[in-house]
Amino acid sequence: MAGNQKSRAKTEQAKGKAKEAVGRAVGNERMTAEGRAEQSKGDARQAKEKGKDAFRH
């Protein structure tokens, strides 16, 4: 399950980065903000998983 969460975090980060880039290219501030939010969500998920790993080892 932890591997699933880690891959989900990476996916969220990548999707957020892509959405932010498209938003900037098109000039859509809302899409850029959504991309940043999605990246932050992925970052938070990744930090949570790293914290869990630290306590397991």
Side-chain angles (χ1 to χ4, degrees):
M1 177 120 162
N4 183 25
Q5 293 295 319
K6 288 178 185 180
S7 66
R8 184 181 280 173
K10 291 289 185 187
T11 302
E12 285 177 344
Q13 290 170 334
K15 282 174 47 179
K17 190 168 282 227
K19 190 180 275 190
E20 182 180 3
V22 170
R24 281 188 182 159
V26 176
N28 188 337
E29 291 181 25
R30 181 176 179 209
M31 187 180 282
T32 304
E34 286 176 2
R36 277 194 228 120
E38 203 162 333
Q39 279 182 303
S40 296
K41 189 175 168 184
D43 290 342
R45 187 182 306 272
Q46 187 177 29
K48 180 183 85 171
E49 291 302 315
K50 283 185 179 180
K52 282 185 190 178
D53 287 344
F55 285 109
R56 285 186 189 144
H57 297 280

